[in-house]
Amino acid sequence: MCGIVGYVGKKNVAEILTGGLSALEYRGYDSSGVAVLADGKTKIYKAEGKLQNLKDLLKEKQDEIITAQVGIGHIRWATHGIPNEVNAHPHTCNCGKLAVVHNGIIENYKELREQLEAKGCVFKSQTDTETVAHLVAQKYGETQDLKEAVRLATSELEGAYALCIIHQDVENTIVATKRNAPLLIGVGEGENFAASDVPAIIEHTKRAIYLNDNQIAVLKPNSIELFDENNNKIEPKVELLPWEPIALSKMGYKHFMLKEIHEQPDVIRNFLSGKLHTANETTKLDEVKLDKNTLKNLNRIQVVACGTSLHAAMVGKYIIEELCEIPVDVEASSEYIYRKTVTDEHTLVIGVSQSGETADTLTAIKQSKARGSHILIITNRPDSAMAREADSLIPVNAGIEVSVAATKSYVAQLMAFYLLAIHLAEIKGSYDNSALTELKNELMLLPQKIELFLTKTDKIQKCSRMYSSSKNFIFIARGINYATALEGALKLKEISYINATGYPAGELKHGPIAMLDETLPVLSIMMKGKVYEKILSNAQESKARNARMIALTDSTDEKLDEIFDYVLNVPSVHELISPIMAIIPLQLLAYYIAEFLGKDVDQPRNLAKSVTVE
Ligand code: M6R
């Protein structure tokens, strides 16, 4: 993953680079570094751990770098080599004149490293990136042209990369390029920027050029030149960025995650606006670019996604099959791309991704696109690589999500699936009309219900404290909420590091029940509907094994207090949309446990917000 940033201009280079890296911290945060050209020398500064360590170091060294007018920076999520200062970027060559920052993975780095070592290159780190530094330096030695050196070097690279490179002998210049990793160029006046993502530059400019794969940009303070892989000069397309810097503020909440949980009612309202006016009207989903006949005759849908987005897809499968009678397969993108999958032009392939950048999902949709399938992308980033591959694009408009743990983007993805399923059912006539109206009505009532629920979280906080010392946690559910159990468990494990697992409740007795004893909390998700009684009996099986019992329910049955140690009540909702209501308390439970344990809620260890490596 990692985040990179570059700046050429007259402002304080160190401040701009570290400011940009702060905004990219969601991409990785195990070490960071910058390289600047100051007083005719390439100077590199790196620090292990959080970005603050680098900021402190740069403050100490400010006299050494004050004259710099060009620099590149990097925030790392380790792939090759442990997170320490040596492995932190920027990396350099034997002479130390060149510096490179890299996001991605160079797959053939071992072969290249052997060849370069045979030619006398001395490697200091365990990273794949250092190969790029030596390779470009070597090509520069041959050509004395940095852009050409980058072009020749990258033609030998396999894998994914976004690169920014500076060289001591090439004043006030950054050469930037990419393949299968994001990189945009920020266009300023008398200054220019490069970055992995919009938040790193939005404070400085709203104009940007999205680089395509294999394009090379040469940035100077007053010019940006763009070249294709054959060295032909091309006209850059400057786009206006739709982002507001205010979105990155915590707005008084202790953590971004808590703020983002509280934003969910508005995320739902926002999503519905323009698509559903009243429950009696049909949905308006112009984003779906398939004509009515093709939609009517769709005989298969495949959904690919990872992590939380995969859980949204599982709910999507349930709802589409229920309303539209179209078979839906859901698969983790990382599995989908390494087996023979049967898709063709009659299959609709849906990619779901908050970031729109996840490498496995991007590869999966590219594969299906090549086989002729219509690609529908559900994403929070309409400016992402996936969005650019889409035939149909449903932007979920949840606003930038900073916390690594996905919350509001999940709810927004669920909304996208609900509206898509309702839209398809309306076209196909596959579901009872009055039942559809009831469902739409319930969707419109949801924001108020969630708002009301969010005003009373004392019981969840108390429950969180009570169970925060547990080493393990089990979440059980059935039917449409099985995905909720998985998502609840994922939230808890990723931010509190408690081992949590979600099971379909009926599976408990096929193995997991052996683990139950008086130390293990079992949280039963029991939303009213078809499987309520079934899951209640599964919960009873846990009680009989002395498990610690928590219920999450919209039932007001007083008997539950006799069975469960804690009953977490949520407002009553339609069974089919209960996954949206049920996930809110589970997000809060994970949040309060992690917060109580003093964990780094917004930036949990070992994780990154966008996973741009396979
Ligand atoms: O950006 P994506 O939705 O494609 O990311 C997929 C997963 O990495 C992501 O959902 C991850 O599981 C969440 N951050 C977990 O909260």
Side-chain angles (χ1 to χ4, degrees):
M1 281 76 77
C2 309
I4 62 180
V5 58
Y7 174 71
V8 54
K10 288 209 161 49
K11 293 190 186 134
N12 185 314
V13 173
E15 269 174 25
I16 293 200
L17 294 180
T18 50
L21 293 179
S22 287
L24 296 179
E25 254 185 312
Y26 72 88
R27 301 178 68 85
Y29 32 79
D30 58 38
S31 53
S32 52
V34 300
V36 299
L37 293 193
D39 309 318
K41 290 254 172 317
T42 298
K43 299 179 181 176
I44 296 179
Y45 304 89
K46 307 183 194 187
E48 189 180 326
K50 285 291 179 88
L51 181 61
Q52 190 55 46
N53 301 343
L54 177 70
K55 288 182 179 169
D56 294 344
L57 174 71
L58 291 175
K59 212 170 189 179
E60 239 174 71
K61 307 280 180 186
Q62 57 185 334
D63 292 346
E64 293 178 15
I65 53 179
I66 199 76
T67 59
Q69 292 188 10
V70 63
I72 53 179
H74 187 269
I75 190 137
R76 183 165 186 247
W77 184 86
T79 57
H80 294 67
I82 56 165
N84 61 14
E85 207 182 305
V86 177
N87 289 329
H89 301 211
H91 288 285
T92 188
C93 54
N94 279 8
C95 69
K97 289 183 173 181
L98 177 140
V100 55
V101 289
H102 167 220
N103 166 34
I105 290 181
I106 307 301
E107 283 166 6
N108 58 336
Y109 81 101
K110 277 197 183 130
E111 300 90 287
L112 290 171
R113 183 171 173 147
E114 274 168 25
Q115 291 163 18
L116 288 159
E117 279 175 333
K119 289 180 183 165
C121 295
V122 180
F123 281 73
K124 298 180 197 79
S125 76
Q126 298 158 301
T127 64
D128 51 336
T129 306
E130 197 179 346
T131 330
V132 182
H134 288 290
L135 192 60
V136 177
Q138 202 182 64
K139 304 287 181 197
Y140 182 76
E142 291 160 14
T143 60
Q144 296 299 302
D145 176 340
L146 189 57
K147 188 239 316 159
E148 183 59 4
V150 171
R151 191 180 76 83
L152 293 172
T154 49
S155 70
E156 292 182 28
L157 301 181
E158 286 166 21
Y161 55 78
L163 298 166
C164 282
I165 296 167
I166 56 174
H167 195 291
Q168 187 170 300
D169 298 344
V170 191
E171 253 193 358
N172 296 347
T173 304
I174 299 173
V175 178
T177 186
K178 63 150 268 178
R179 190 196 296 157
N180 293 329
L183 189 63
L184 74 154
I185 306 300
V187 184
E189 279 177 21
E191 59 182 2
N192 287 306
F193 307 80
S196 301
D197 198 0
V198 177
I201 57 168
I202 194 66
E203 217 185 292
H204 309 289
T205 180
K206 289 199 100 187
R207 296 163 67 224
I209 301 160
Y210 285 90
L211 286 195
N212 290 334
D213 281 353
N214 304 318
Q215 289 181 340
I216 300 180
V218 180
L219 279 64
K220 294 177 187 286
N222 291 305
S223 67
I224 296 169
E225 288 184 312
L226 201 58
F227 299 86
D228 69 13
E229 61 199 298
N230 299 318
N231 217 9
N232 300 310
K233 199 162 174 187
I234 38 184
E235 201 49 46
K237 187 172 153 232
V238 180
E239 297 180 34
L240 216 54
L241 300 170
W243 293 80
E244 293 301 332
I246 188 73
L248 293 179
S249 144
K250 283 189 202 145
M251 309 293 271
Y253 288 95
K254 186 168 179 195
H255 295 100
F256 279 107
M257 183 177 176
L258 194 58
K259 171 190 164 232
E260 287 158 5
I261 291 173
H262 278 84
E263 283 172 348
Q264 293 178 112
D266 280 340
V267 166
I268 297 174
R269 282 191 191 103
N270 202 17
F271 190 83
L272 288 175
S273 125
K275 297 186 179 70
L276 187 60
H277 296 294
T278 69
N280 295 317
E281 284 174 44
T282 51
T283 48
K284 210 166 166 309
L285 208 57
D286 299 339
E287 291 87 346
V288 179
K289 302 291 181 210
L290 285 166
D291 61 59
K292 286 198 171 165
N293 254 344
T294 318
L295 281 177
K296 261 188 192 163
N297 296 321
L298 270 184
N299 53 15
R300 191 164 175 215
I301 296 178
Q302 287 184 341
V303 196
V304 286
C306 302
T308 291
S309 299
L310 182 66
H311 300 152
M314 290 170 71
V315 177
K317 168 186 165 72
Y318 195 103
I319 193 81
I320 294 173
E321 290 189 341
E322 174 75 23
L323 266 54
C324 317
E325 290 169 3
I326 304 171
V328 182
D329 307 321
V330 174
E331 193 164 357
S333 318
S334 51
E335 291 299 317
Y336 184 91
I337 57 181
Y338 289 113
R339 69 180 183 85
K340 184 174 172 198
T341 46
V342 189
T343 49
D344 58 22
E345 66 277 19
H346 306 298
T347 312
L348 170 65
V349 175
I350 305 180
V352 192
S353 172
Q354 186 286 128
S355 62
E357 259 188 40
T358 302
D360 290 321
T361 309
L362 186 59
T363 308
I365 60 160
K366 281 184 180 169
Q367 286 180 355
S368 320
K369 194 171 177 170
R371 286 194 292 261
S373 302
H374 185 94
I375 303 294
L376 187 154
I377 298 294
I378 296 176
T379 182
N380 197 28
R381 296 296 302 266
D383 55 342
S384 61
M386 269 180 231
R388 283 158 200 272
E389 294 290 329
D391 298 310
S392 295
L393 174 66
I394 305 186
V396 298
N397 296 331
I400 191 157
E401 189 176 63
V402 177
S403 176
V404 166
T407 52
K408 62 175 180 172
S409 63
Y410 176 67
V411 159
Q413 288 167 348
L414 293 184
M415 287 304 294
F417 274 113
Y418 282 107
L419 277 239
L420 177 65
I422 294 172
H423 182 67
L424 283 174
E426 284 169 346
I427 290 171
K428 286 189 69 166
S430 52
Y431 205 65
D432 177 65
N433 238 337
S434 59
L436 274 186
T437 307
E438 192 194 342
L439 199 57
K440 287 188 267 185
N441 195 34
E442 284 277 338
L443 279 174
M444 294 173 88
L445 291 174
L446 252 183
Q448 280 154 272
K449 291 187 184 178
I450 298 173
E451 244 152 22
L452 180 74
F453 172 76
L454 286 171
T455 59
K456 298 182 244 160
T457 59
D458 302 8
K459 201 167 182 186
I460 295 183
Q461 296 192 40
K462 204 167 154 210
C463 178
S464 305
R465 273 197 293 280
M466 181 68 94
Y467 293 101
S468 58
S469 58
S470 304
K471 296 273 172 287
N472 300 290
F473 234 97
I474 284 183
F475 292 72
I476 56 171
R478 298 182 81 132
I480 196 165
N481 276 305
Y482 168 45
T484 313
L486 296 179
E487 177 58 12
L490 178 63
K491 286 289 90 80
L492 183 60
K493 65 189 149 202
E494 73 176 322
I495 61 169
S496 73
Y497 320 144
I498 292 172
N499 175 31
T501 315
Y503 291 109
E507 279 294 298
L508 209 57
K509 56 182 150 317
H510 297 288
I513 203 165
M515 296 186 295
L516 303 193
D517 63 16
E518 62 291 347
T519 66
L520 188 62
V522 175
L523 189 150
S524 310
I525 302 167
M526 305 201 309
M527 302 301 279
K528 284 182 300 186
K530 256 205 282 230
V531 288
Y532 176 83
E533 292 298 335
K534 296 278 168 212
I535 186 152
L536 186 57
S537 355
N538 298 133
Q540 299 272 22
E541 292 160 10
S542 310
K543 176 127 181 122
R545 272 81 191 174
N546 290 327
R548 304 173 78 183
M549 303 287 289
I550 311 168
L552 165 59
T553 185
D554 59 346
S555 158
T556 46
D557 184 352
E558 285 169 9
K559 275 196 308 245
L560 296 181
D561 289 322
E562 291 162 24
I563 304 168
F564 293 92
D565 305 322
Y566 262 94
V567 179
L568 304 175
N569 290 103
V570 291
S572 176
V573 283
H574 190 298
E575 184 188 9
L576 288 181
I577 57 173
S578 61
I580 300 187
M581 191 70 239
I583 196 58
I584 315 283
L586 300 186
Q587 295 168 341
L588 285 170
L589 184 80
Y591 172 79
Y592 285 119
I593 290 181
E595 198 244 3
F596 184 69
L597 293 174
K599 303 293 183 207
D600 192 345
V601 173
D602 286 331
Q603 295 184 340
R605 71 182 182 204
N606 304 339
L607 292 177
K609 185 82 180 155
S610 22
V611 183
T612 53
V613 292
E614 275 187 18

